[in-house]
């Protein structure tokens, strides 16, 4: 329980009880002992999560669940126990929300598969509202296979039934993982481990004529195939497989891609174009990056990872909105906030082959900052000479590559 408390974020927004981490810490040991006792005895009552909404890039709003601080600690403790069990079972294709695994490892695995194993036929898959549509019945059946401890199962059931409090109304659902819960990503991983990962490894792959791979990060996954026919066969049965467990493919975001190194204008490509009215023969997106064929400094054909246009636009829109709202704050405060946003951007998108996009991002940040500083200036204009003087006194972080890999190596034959 103490370790669960240590790993729980202390700066989160409070849940329906209004209790913050500093309030809980005032009597930490007594609170943790009381929490443990209620969990073991079954007296723990899972509170409903408070629902808030955050804007999405397409103009719609994404629902966000906010549990209480104590509920986060309890979920973290149960998740730690479950993690010890399921890390023995999870397959190598799964990268999301697992210790020692990251999105960059998933990207590198996919890049290596397409280059070294020569898997040019790609299925880019998107599940419609996955976390909100996980059916509780099949999830409980999957948990039955590995988790028989009564305390753990009772707690999971309470979280699944806790519901959401929105505008004073309590909504209970028969599907979906606990919104905003620490345990939610693990339950989602368990569900797709049985529905997708095991199925692909034990039933699909042995029946295919050529090589294939699956790379999954939570509910985002990509399949790549050596054979055009294999890709077509899997694409035909994938929706049926997922539909058996209450999941649905997003028709507009699930695509079949011709990702050959040198796509020829042959009969086979004509077939792809006829069957898929909007084929993407040169690139596809995964985990915020666009994978595209390019040339290394040695002239070799290699796969480069570049910031996806949608993520790039979203990042700049977020900076623009913050500058607009905070343009009257002191310059050092603005510089500190912008620097933090830029370092976060570099930490994720600073990958070999993506340096030009980082430079462009940094240049745009300076333009955005200058624009909003001009709007608070009494003369209504800040010249670039004056802006440069400001940047000399309050510099922004320079672009840098954080994640490096050898991009000049020849693909394996």
């Amino acid at each position: 329980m103490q370790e669960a408390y240590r790993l729980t974020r202390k700066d989160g927004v409070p849940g329906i009880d209004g209790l913050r981490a500093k309030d809980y810490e005032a009597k930490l040991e007594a609170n943790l002992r009381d929490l443990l006792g209620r969990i073991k005895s079954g007296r723990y009552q899972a509170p409903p999560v408070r629902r808030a909404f955050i804007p999405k890039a397409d103009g719609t709003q994404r629902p966000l669940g906010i549990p209480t601080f104590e509920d986060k600690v309890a979920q973290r403790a149960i998740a730690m126990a479950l993690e010890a069990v399921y890390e023995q079972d999870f397959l190598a294709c799964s990268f999301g929300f697992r210790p020692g695994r990251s999105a960059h490892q998933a990207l590198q695995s996919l890049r290596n598969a397409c280059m070294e194993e020569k898997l040019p036929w790609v299925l880019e898959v998107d599940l419609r509202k996955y976390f909100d549509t996980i059916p509780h019945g099949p999830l409980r059946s999957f948990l039955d296979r590995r988790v028989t401890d009564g305390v753990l199962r009772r707690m999971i059931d309470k979280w699944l039934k806790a519901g959401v409090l929105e505008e004073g109304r309590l909504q209970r659902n028969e599907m979906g993982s606990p919104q905003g819960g620490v345990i939610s990503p693990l339950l989602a991983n368990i569900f797709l481990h049985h529905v997708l990962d095991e199925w692909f490894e034990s039933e699909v792959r042995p029946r295919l004529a050529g090589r294939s791979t699956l790379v999954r990060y939570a509910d985002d996954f990509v399949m790549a195939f050596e054979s055009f026919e294999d890709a077509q066969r899997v694409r035909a049965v994938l929706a049926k497989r997922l539909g058996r467990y209450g999941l649905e493919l997003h028709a507009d975001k699930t695509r079949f891609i011709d990702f050959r190194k040198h796509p020829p204008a042959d009969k086979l490509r004509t077939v792809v174009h006829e069957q898929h009215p909007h084929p993407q023969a040169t690139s596809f997106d995964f985990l915020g990056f666009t994978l595209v064929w390019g040339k290394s400094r040695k002239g070799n054909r290699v796969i480069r990872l570049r910031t996806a246009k949608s993520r790039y636009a979203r990042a700049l829109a977020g900076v623009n909105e913050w500058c607009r709202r905070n343009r009257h704050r002191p310059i050092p405060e603005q510089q500190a906030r912008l620097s933090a946003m830029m370092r976060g951007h570099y930490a994720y998108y600073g990958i070999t082959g993506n340096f030009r996009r980082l430079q462009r991002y940094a240049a745009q940040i300076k333009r955005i900052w200058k624009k909003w500083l001009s709007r608070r200036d009494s003369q209504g204009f800040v010249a670039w000479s004056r802006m440069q003087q400001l940047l000399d006194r309050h510099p922004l972080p320079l672009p840098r590559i954080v994640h490096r890999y050898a991009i000049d190596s020849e693909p394996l034959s």
Side-chain angles (χ1 to χ4, degrees), residues 57-313:
D58 58 4
T60 61
Q61 290 189 317
R62 183 191 303 275
L64 180 68
I66 305 174
T68 65
F69 180 78
E70 184 178 64
D71 202 48
K72 293 178 184 178
V73 175
Q75 289 193 34
R76 175 70 68 183
I78 301 300
M80 290 166 63
L82 291 177
E83 194 175 82
V85 174
Y86 279 99
E87 276 301 311
Q88 303 176 62
D89 297 351
F90 287 156
L91 303 181
C93 63
S94 171
F95 291 87
F97 304 104
R98 295 182 57 190
R101 292 184 156 239
S102 67
H104 295 97
Q105 291 176 338
L107 289 161
Q108 183 70 347
S109 176
L110 179 60
R111 177 181 178 273
N112 291 345
C114 290
M115 282 184 60
E116 299 177 5
E117 298 183 35
K118 295 182 172 61
L119 308 179
W121 304 103
V122 175
L123 285 179
E124 180 190 1
V125 185
D126 186 272
L127 298 178
R128 186 184 295 274
K129 297 182 178 179
Y130 170 63
F131 284 86
D132 296 332
T133 57
I134 299 175
H136 293 172
L139 175 59
R140 291 190 179 95
S141 298
F142 292 144
L143 290 169
D144 287 340
R145 302 181 186 183
R146 292 291 273 132
V147 184
T148 57
D149 182 87
V151 173
L152 300 183
R153 293 301 302 275
R154 185 166 57 230
M155 290 294 291
I156 294 172
D157 282 342
K158 287 181 178 181
W159 285 317
L160 292 176
K161 297 175 182 177
V164 176
L165 190 65
E166 181 181 352
E167 297 180 351
R169 298 192 305 271
L170 180 62
Q171 303 176 8
R172 299 190 185 276
N173 300 319
E174 292 301 320
M175 60 178 60
S177 59
Q179 284 200 11
V182 177
I183 203 170
S184 182
L186 179 56
L187 294 179
N189 260 347
I190 292 170
F191 193 77
L192 276 184
H193 166 73
H194 292 287
V195 172
L196 180 68
D197 301 355
E198 284 189 333
W199 170 73
F200 185 83
E201 191 65 33
S202 61
E203 297 185 36
V204 174
R205 192 186 295 235
R207 291 177 169 85
L208 300 180
R211 295 187 301 272
S212 62
T213 192
L214 165 67
V215 178
R216 180 174 69 84
Y217 190 93
D219 60 326
D220 292 324
F221 62 94
V222 169
M223 296 175 172
F225 305 87
E226 179 184 16
S227 164
F228 173 82
E229 290 73 17
D230 286 344
Q232 288 286 70
R233 289 174 59 195
V234 174
R235 189 176 191 272
V237 301
L238 181 60
K240 297 178 183 178
R241 169 68 182 183
L242 297 173
R244 284 176 54 189
Y245 295 94
L247 304 180
E248 181 183 357
L249 291 178
H250 198 301
D252 296 333
K253 297 181 180 180
T254 299
R255 304 184 301 160
F256 181 33
I257 299 154
D258 178 356
F259 198 57
R260 285 176 288 180
K261 185 186 301 186
H262 301 285
D266 56 10
K267 183 177 180 180
L268 184 57
R269 180 167 178 175
T270 302
V271 172
V272 176
H273 282 220
E274 289 175 352
Q275 295 181 356
H276 306 280
H278 301 289
Q280 298 294 323
T282 58
S283 66
F284 66 96
D285 291 350
F286 186 53
L287 300 180
F289 286 89
T290 297
L291 282 78
V292 60
W293 283 101
K295 285 188 178 182
S296 70
R297 285 175 295 180
K298 295 181 180 179
N300 301 325
R301 292 285 287 176
V302 296
I303 295 175
R304 292 188 176 275
L305 279 68
R306 297 171 179 167
T307 309
K309 291 182 179 180
S310 59
R311 295 293 186 91
Y312 179 77

Side-chain angles (χ1 to χ4, degrees), residues 313-354:
R314 186 192 309 176
L316 292 181
V319 172
N320 185 73
E321 180 63 16
W322 189 91
C323 288
R324 183 186 71 83
R325 293 180 177 228
N326 298 275
R327 62 184 181 272
H328 298 296
R329 292 183 179 272
I331 296 298
E333 186 176 330
Q334 293 189 46
Q335 184 263 354
R337 176 59 178 169
L338 289 175
S339 296
M341 297 172 78
M342 295 175 76
R343 282 192 293 267
H345 188 87
Y346 300 154
Y348 187 76
Y349 294 103
I351 193 167
T352 302
N354 197 38

